[in-house]
Amino acid sequence: MPIRQMKESSEQHLVIKTHMQNSINQPQKHHKTAQNGKGPPQPLQESSNTKTQNQTSPPAKNRGRRRGRGGRKSDQGDVCMRPCSRPCTVVHKPVVNPIGDLQSTTSTGPIETGKNVCEMEMGPGFPTSSKSLSFARRPGFGQVGSKCIVKANHFFAELPDKDLNQYDVTITPEVASRNMNRAIMAELVRLYKESDLGMRLPAYDGRKSLYTAGKLPFAWKEFAIKLVDAEDGISGPKREREYRVVIKFVARANMYHLGQFLAGKHADAPQEALQILDIVLRELSTKRYCPVGRSFFSPDIRAPQRLGDGLESWCGFYQSIRPTQMGLSLNIDMASAAFIEPLPVIEFVAQLLGKDVLSRPLSDSDRVKIKKGLRGVKVEVTHRGSVRRKYRVSGLTSQPTRELVFPVDDNSTMKSVVEYFQEMYGFTIQHAHLPCLQVGNQKKANYLPMEACKIVEGQRYTKRLNERQITALLKVTCQRPRDRENDILQTVQNNAYDQDPYAKEFGIKISEKLASVEARILPAPWLKYHETGKEKDCLPQVGQWNMMNKKMINGMTVSRWACINFSRSVQESVARGFCNELAQMCQVSGMEFNSEPVIPIYNARPEHVEKALKHVIHASTNRTKGKELELLLAILPDNNGSLYGDLKRICETDLGLISQCCLSKHVFKISKQYLANVSLKINVKMGGRNTVLLDAISCRIPLVSDIPTIIFGADVTHPENGEDSSPSIAAVVASQDWPEVTKYAGLVCAQAHRQELIQDLYKTWQDPVRGTVSGGMIRDLLISFRKATGQKPLRIIFYRRVLDGVSEGQFYQVLLYELDAIRKACASLEPNYQPPVTFIVVQKRHHTRLFANNHRDRTSTDKSGNILPGTVVDSKICHPTEFDFYLCSHAGIQGTSRPAHYHVLWDENNFTADGIQSLTNNLCYTYARCTRSVSVVPPAYYAHLAAFRARFYTEPVMQENGSAGSGAGHGAKGTRAGESGVRPLPALKENVKRVMFYC
């Protein structure tokens, strides 16, 4: 059986200060590198001289582009900089030096956070702004692999031939709600379409912009619009409000520019034209459904499913217009989200608390939970017949309803809430022991009895879901490929774009057929195992294999280990039996693993985790006469709250102890598959390798095997919605072996809330003794690579994982800042040390799906009905000119597989399409935690895991509902305390840095 992966648990503006440098290239000596890349390296050492630290290499020379497959051997010396093969396009403008003379310096601090202006210094020869930077152009299309046809959830959109015009909208008094803005503009169109608007049907973005196909009869005009306010006050007639709307012409969108871009004749995407078309196609759906981001939801699309605690799932669809090689494409995908169930408030409270609230009094903790659950939720009254006024809950009264009184006149005549509702509305409050809802603001808060209120339909739940709710939501969203494809096609038919009045008005036509795309299935790589096993190498089949008859290529030794049992349900004999079975599996798999623990299995309570860990370490050290414990096994309850996070935090930041956690349900079951999986994780945590690419040890990987190459992975994880004070966590991992590129080390740091740029890639600070000191994650990992391999990296491949919501403009910022940090980190280590860099953005949370052309053809799908692992697409639905591709590197287990999207932003290593696609696919077979190829290239995957792990260091306390508290770390690694206003993370112990992301 294959071993499955197991789970344990406002736009910124850049102001760039450019310092110019003499562009004369100094002569360099080139030493030929041995063909296997193992010629004698020059020492990679820290410079003691400040000038040397800040020195950078000469500007890159232009070099002709290779179109052939693979890569040629380097004739580069160990010290000199490799010239850029694909230089950026620079707009040549006079550069004003703020200092007044020409200097060569790269010293800089991190980007300041919390400001609208982001200042950074860029190295010489580097683009001075995002406007002068061009991403890597596509070098050609891949040819490797067996060709096939797949279908993609992209629908061809015919480009309109009409002029698109933009108008500015100003509404007075200003309205915060988009819905109210839309209501005002809808009334304006209803009243004036046939007169003042010249029969135009405009599209509106809900804020400041209005778009038309053709010009309006005026360039500026003011309108007076009256609307009835349905949410005004508790009593009295509805009030009519008047708004002043000014519409002013701004610009005309150039559709010719868009056409040239789609044809590959223009490099820059006309974002304004794309934005207009996107808004036009969203206009009708915005009126029909509940819009959330780029998605639309409705209880009518599919019956809502209960998630528990007063929540339900709504189905919907995602929609986005995209520029592709086939022209404009409308990307449609199915979506699900959690909404607050439109229940009577008392029913909602009963679900939230999980108990009867009609007869029992509420405790203080109940009140806190209710207040947290209802704050900000919109409710409507039910005690006034057809009058359903809506209010937003601001709080909960501390007293029960029966004790609440308020003044009813200027003489401070007091009346109880119970009496008021009886006399005013004839409504008898039955459950006066419950508190009232507070609605309105603090200055004028009004009381509403819970039983007189119902939750308004269509309110998305934005807080963190608990584990039970996540499981329920995943069941709803998990669809087989054929079912998902049919739902997408049905959605397109239901949306009836051919009948959409806005699409007609603007001349946009949408195909109802999925795009047919040429794809290729890349071959799986051969994997190498130890010579003593029956099977010395292995060719994975459909993205998976197993450990039968194989031994780890580098099995480690575990002589001293112990076990703590935190689960009351697991008896000592069961725990002992599990440990014996695990020890045997480690031995069979190729490790030297002591059959007996250093001390007997220790039983402990979860709340005493720190005490238990220190006791076991102390007892083990005494038993082994001072020798350190190498491994801790921990048996955890299935529902363990904060125990897992607390244990990992203490072990990795305090004790320096490598740990492996196992849930009690697996301890009882003891499946061979699970044990084999755990043994893989233990081996890599101890510093071993499970397998390597056969091509790697044979030095046959183009542009990796020829010269020492380091592969980085980087990711930033942001706090959940509603966590406004928690930091973002950045993680960087880097390969620590060559030519195998299998073992990694990782570093993490906390940075400002929702900061996407990684701040600590490179940094300098002043030391009172040493002067200017250089540091940062890139620099540390380069030094670590040199120590581990005896080689200096002469090539850098950098996989940067980002969210799908990161815009193209932010891509520029990421590349500008982070590539410059990489260069400065290199230059700080050695004069003119500038290895060529390939910078690749990785996106997983996007909405492109690929389906088999014929679902009945079993040879074109895996067991789950998904496309085969290794399927790569670099045409038709990809960018018109830039170097990107979709790769489905894994076999599906359940649901519809999501391919990873790789976008090569910068390439100084001259990769061909086949070269980078094959490398990325092959690396996906080296993931250490399972015998399956994974969906994202491992260095990016490890960085993602490391960033999530580090959140345990900042938030050790988990709340009852499964959401993390706002605890913070202490100590530092990668962030100097007080430097950016973010509390730094605790320092990782040295022996944990290489393994913490294996979990």
Side-chain angles (χ1 to χ4, degrees):
M1 289 290 290
I3 301 174
R4 294 183 179 177
Q5 179 189 346
M6 174 188 65
K7 290 183 181 177
E8 285 187 331
S9 57
S10 142
E11 185 178 21
Q12 288 184 323
H13 299 278
L14 292 177
V15 177
I16 299 161
K17 299 185 225 173
T18 306
H19 298 279
M20 300 181 67
Q21 168 180 309
N22 193 332
S23 60
I24 300 174
N25 290 325
Q26 301 297 326
Q28 302 288 347
K29 292 183 180 179
H30 292 260
H31 306 281
K32 279 205 172 184
T33 305
Q35 189 166 349
N36 63 2
K38 294 189 177 180
Q42 296 292 329
L44 180 63
Q45 55 194 352
E46 300 187 31
S47 304
S48 58
N49 179 304
T50 304
K51 287 185 179 179
T52 306
Q53 283 180 4
N54 292 334
Q55 206 168 0
T56 54
S57 57
K61 296 178 182 177
N62 293 348
R63 186 167 61 193
R65 168 130 199 106
R66 291 177 292 109
R67 296 283 174 177
R69 184 184 161 199
R72 76 178 161 217
K73 304 294 183 186
S74 171
D75 61 355
Q76 162 187 0
D78 288 329
V79 178
C80 68
M81 175 182 173
R82 179 81 167 262
C84 298
S85 62
R86 191 183 287 118
C88 61
T89 302
V90 179
V91 177
H92 296 285
K93 294 182 180 179
V95 179
V96 179
N97 193 310
I99 299 175
D101 59 357
L102 301 182
Q103 299 184 37
S104 173
T105 176
T106 58
S107 229
T108 185
I111 286 184
E112 294 183 26
T113 57
K115 296 183 179 181
N116 290 328
V117 177
C118 187
E119 295 190 3
M120 51 185 163
E121 297 176 0
M122 313 307 292
F126 197 74
T128 58
S129 75
S130 62
K131 294 295 183 184
S132 61
L133 175 69
S134 290
F135 291 156
R137 304 277 287 189
R138 189 181 303 281
F141 297 95
Q143 302 298 324
V144 172
S146 55
K147 294 183 179 180
C148 64
I149 299 294
V150 296
K151 290 178 286 186
N153 59 336
H154 286 244
F155 299 84
F156 177 68
E158 190 174 318
L159 198 64
D161 57 0
K162 301 183 179 183
D163 289 337
L164 306 185
N165 297 274
Q166 179 182 353
Y167 292 83
D168 179 75
V169 174
T170 304
I171 299 176
T172 310
E174 190 174 343
V175 178
S177 165
R178 277 196 178 193
N179 289 337
M180 180 57 73
N181 282 340
R182 291 186 185 279
I184 294 166
M185 293 305 297
E187 180 68 5
L188 187 152
V189 172
R190 186 185 71 82
L191 293 173
Y192 298 106
K193 179 187 175 184
E194 296 182 4
S195 54
D196 297 67
L197 299 183
M199 295 301 292
R200 301 287 185 205
L201 181 63
Y204 178 51
D205 71 351
R207 294 207 185 278
K208 292 285 291 180
S209 295
L210 190 77
Y211 304 101
T212 62
K215 283 192 173 183
L216 294 173
F218 54 84
W220 183 97
K221 196 171 184 66
E222 180 178 319
F223 300 86
I225 304 296
K226 294 181 179 179
L227 275 187
V228 173
D229 189 354
E231 301 178 18
D232 176 51
I234 281 188
S235 59
K238 295 180 182 179
R239 189 170 63 183
E240 188 178 65
R241 293 194 177 185
E242 182 171 318
Y243 299 91
R244 176 175 164 264
V245 181
V246 175
I247 299 177
K248 177 185 175 183
F249 176 76
V250 174
R252 182 173 67 88
N254 193 332
M255 300 308 293
Y256 175 77
H257 185 175
L258 178 57
Q260 292 291 99
F261 170 73
L262 294 171
K265 298 176 181 178
H266 202 291
D268 297 327
Q271 295 298 334
E272 298 82 2
L274 290 170
Q275 182 182 6
I276 293 171
L277 297 176
D278 198 51
I279 290 168
V280 169
L281 289 173
R282 293 170 58 82
E283 187 73 23
L284 188 59
S285 293
T286 299
K287 299 178 187 299
R288 286 179 175 174
Y289 308 116
C290 176
V292 177
R294 289 189 171 273
S295 298
F296 301 93
F297 298 93
S298 171
D300 301 325
I301 293 176
R302 194 186 301 162
Q305 301 291 314
R306 283 197 165 181
L307 302 177
D309 296 351
L311 303 184
E312 63 182 8
S313 68
W314 280 21
C315 286
F317 63 93
Y318 168 93
Q319 173 180 299
S320 177
I321 196 96
R322 294 182 179 275
T324 65
Q325 292 172 32
M326 70 178 184
L328 279 181
S329 161
L330 189 65
N331 182 203
I332 300 283
D333 191 26
M334 304 313 296
S336 292
F339 282 74
I340 303 171
E341 202 170 345
L343 298 168
V345 169
I346 285 185
E347 283 187 37
F348 175 85
V349 169
Q351 279 200 33
L352 189 65
L353 300 179
K355 66 180 184 181
D356 177 24
V357 296
L358 299 181
S359 56
R360 300 179 184 179
L362 298 178
S363 65
D364 289 342
S365 62
D366 289 339
R367 291 174 184 272
V368 170
K369 198 168 185 179
I370 295 169
K371 185 176 180 179
K372 189 176 180 181
L374 284 173
R375 181 182 288 159
V377 175
K378 193 175 283 190
V379 297
E380 60 183 7
V381 296
T382 59
H383 64 285
R384 299 184 59 191
S386 60
V387 178
R388 293 277 178 142
R389 289 192 175 168
K390 299 177 178 67
Y391 308 92
R392 198 171 294 278
V393 177
S394 58
L396 203 66
T397 61
S398 56
Q399 299 167 285
T401 303
R402 60 173 170 251
E403 297 177 13
L404 291 173
V405 294
F406 64 97
V408 292
D409 55 34
D410 295 337
N411 298 323
S412 297
T413 305
M414 306 302 287
K415 183 172 287 190
S416 72
V417 170
V418 174
E419 290 174 338
Y420 175 82
F421 274 82
Q422 181 65 55
E423 294 173 8
M424 191 72 180
Y425 305 112
F427 182 80
T428 303
I429 298 175
Q430 302 288 337
H431 309 291
H433 68 287
L434 295 174
C436 274
L437 302 179
Q438 287 181 310
V439 297
N441 53 41
Q442 292 180 346
K443 293 181 179 179
K444 185 183 178 182
N446 297 299
Y447 302 143
L448 286 176
M450 284 189 182
E451 61 197 273
C453 298
K454 180 178 182 289
I455 292 172
V456 174
E457 186 181 59
Q459 298 181 77
R460 192 191 173 202
Y461 185 77
T462 58
K463 299 169 187 173
R464 184 181 293 180
L465 301 176
N466 60 37
E467 290 297 325
R468 193 160 36 87
Q469 292 166 334
I470 291 172
T471 301
L473 186 59
L474 287 175
K475 285 181 179 178
V476 175
T477 58
C478 185
Q479 285 184 292
R480 290 273 182 178
R482 182 182 293 184
D483 296 333
R484 193 181 197 97
E485 180 184 331
N486 290 336
D487 281 357
I488 289 169
L489 288 168
Q490 187 63 51
T491 297
V492 173
Q493 291 177 9
N494 291 343
N495 287 348
Y497 295 103
D498 59 332
Q499 300 299 317
D500 183 337
Y502 295 95
K504 280 185 173 182
E505 172 80 9
F506 284 79
I508 305 172
K509 297 177 182 178
I510 306 296
S511 170
E512 292 192 351
K513 292 182 180 179
L514 291 160
S516 288
V517 185
E518 289 185 3
R520 290 168 290 114
I521 302 171
L522 301 179
W526 281 89
L527 303 176
K528 178 64 179 172
Y529 283 92
H530 200 273
E531 290 293 324
T532 58
K534 289 184 180 179
E535 294 185 24
K536 299 172 181 56
D537 44 46
C538 165
L539 182 64
Q541 300 297 316
V542 197
Q544 50 193 322
W545 64 103
N546 58 48
M547 285 296 292
M548 288 178 61
N549 301 321
K550 303 175 190 70
K551 290 187 182 294
M552 301 158 176
I553 193 164
N554 296 120
M556 298 303 288
T557 298
V558 177
S559 303
R560 300 178 300 279
W561 62 277
C563 177
I564 303 180
N565 177 17
F566 288 102
S567 178
R568 292 183 182 179
S569 63
V570 178
Q571 296 177 346
E572 187 174 343
S573 59
V574 175
R576 193 163 54 245
F578 172 79
C579 289
N580 289 337
E581 291 281 350
L582 180 58
Q584 288 179 30
M585 179 59 76
C586 289
Q587 294 162 3
V588 168
S589 300
M591 295 181 68
E592 290 185 24
F593 199 99
N594 193 339
S595 299
E596 294 296 326
V598 172
I599 60 173
I601 295 172
Y602 183 72
N603 295 308
R605 297 168 65 90
E607 58 268 27
H608 299 151
V609 56
E610 186 167 6
K611 181 180 177 182
L613 289 168
K614 291 182 176 178
H615 169 81
V616 167
I617 286 181
H618 181 72
S620 300
T621 305
N622 287 342
R623 181 69 62 90
T624 58
K625 298 180 180 179
K627 292 182 179 179
E628 290 185 353
L629 198 63
E630 295 172 326
L631 175 69
L632 174 74
L633 298 179
I635 299 172
L636 310 184
D638 294 336
N639 298 310
N640 56 75
S642 67
L643 175 58
Y644 176 82
D646 289 343
L647 186 146
K648 292 294 184 181
R649 173 174 51 85
I650 295 165
C651 284
E652 293 166 4
T653 66
D654 185 14
L655 305 176
L657 180 58
I658 293 170
S659 60
Q660 176 61 51
C661 296
C662 305
L663 296 177
S664 54
K665 63 182 179 183
H666 299 303
V667 173
F668 286 119
K669 190 176 181 182
I670 313 187
S671 84
K672 295 291 184 183
Q673 178 177 316
Y674 176 79
L675 292 174
N677 192 8
V678 175
S679 69
L680 294 177
K681 295 173 72 173
I682 291 174
N683 188 52
V684 293
K685 288 181 181 184
M686 300 308 299
R689 294 186 190 89
N690 296 329
T691 186
V692 296
L693 297 171
L694 190 59
D695 279 354
I697 57 175
S698 305
C699 295
R700 293 198 301 259
I701 302 179
L703 292 176
V704 172
S705 299
D706 56 342
I707 57 174
T709 299
I710 186 170
I711 302 181
F712 284 91
D715 191 20
V716 179
T717 63
H718 302 294
E720 296 281 343
N721 289 331
E723 292 181 32
D724 298 329
S725 59
S726 298
S728 292
I729 305 292
V732 181
V733 306
S735 58
Q736 299 292 290
D737 55 351
W738 181 83
E740 296 90 346
V741 290
T742 302
K743 295 170 70 172
Y744 291 83
L747 295 172
V748 292
C749 71
Q751 57 188 43
H753 179 75
R754 298 215 165 267
Q755 170 62 266
E756 181 62 34
L757 304 181
I758 302 177
Q759 301 297 287
D760 276 7
L761 291 180
Y762 174 74
K763 59 181 183 175
T764 59
W765 65 92
Q766 293 298 320
D767 183 271
V769 177
R770 295 183 292 166
T772 302
V773 180
S774 297
M777 294 190 283
I778 296 292
R779 193 176 193 276
D780 290 351
L781 289 167
L782 289 171
I783 293 171
S784 178
F785 180 96
R786 175 68 174 87
K787 289 178 179 177
T789 66
Q791 304 273 4
K792 176 176 61 177
L794 296 179
R795 179 183 291 118
I796 293 174
I797 300 171
F798 197 93
Y799 287 98
R800 173 64 155 92
R801 183 165 177 162
V802 300
L803 294 175
D804 185 50
V806 175
S807 67
E808 185 178 285
Q810 288 170 303
F811 276 11
Y812 282 111
Q813 290 186 35
V814 169
L815 180 61
L816 275 165
Y817 184 73
E818 297 182 7
L819 180 56
D820 187 58
I822 294 169
R823 288 181 165 174
K824 287 174 180 171
C826 293
S828 73
L829 290 165
E830 191 173 290
N832 298 327
Y833 175 55
Q834 287 293 318
V837 179
T838 296
F839 194 103
I840 308 154
V841 159
V842 187
Q843 289 176 294
K844 193 70 171 68
R845 295 177 62 182
H846 57 81
H847 287 271
T848 291
R849 298 292 186 275
L850 302 176
F851 303 101
N853 191 45
N854 181 3
H855 291 286
R856 295 176 183 174
D857 181 6
R858 293 301 176 190
T859 62
S860 64
T861 62
D862 58 23
K863 290 180 180 178
S864 66
N866 280 289
I867 56 174
L868 293 171
T871 301
V872 63
V873 170
D874 60 1
S875 62
K876 202 162 185 179
I877 60 171
C878 293
H879 195 279
T881 59
E882 291 170 10
F883 192 1
D884 71 327
F885 59 93
Y886 291 94
L887 173 63
C888 183
S889 52
H890 67 297
I893 298 176
Q894 58 180 357
T896 303
S897 295
R898 190 197 316 242
H901 184 223
Y902 297 90
H903 197 148
V904 183
L905 300 187
W906 192 261
D907 183 18
E908 295 172 343
N909 287 301
N910 223 15
F911 271 101
T912 62
D914 282 329
I916 196 65
Q917 291 166 11
S918 295
L919 172 63
T920 303
N921 184 59
N922 291 350
L923 287 175
C924 290
Y925 287 79
T926 66
Y927 186 67
R929 304 202 308 169
C930 59
T931 53
R932 301 177 67 94
S933 58
V934 289
S935 62
V936 174
V937 67
Y941 202 152
Y942 292 145
H944 187 66
L945 293 173
F948 268 95
R949 165 58 59 79
R951 202 158 289 283
F952 288 130
Y953 309 156
T954 65
E955 298 168 350
V957 180
M958 301 294 287
Q959 305 298 336
E960 187 179 336
N961 67 351
S963 64
S966 57
H970 33 272
K973 171 66 200 109
T975 305
R976 295 176 65 78
E979 196 172 80
S980 61
V982 176
R983 188 178 297 184
L985 296 176
L988 286 175
K989 296 299 180 181
E990 203 60 37
N991 64 324
V992 182
K993 290 177 184 176
R994 298 175 186 271
V995 300
M996 53 85 76
F997 45 83
Y998 292 123
C999 299

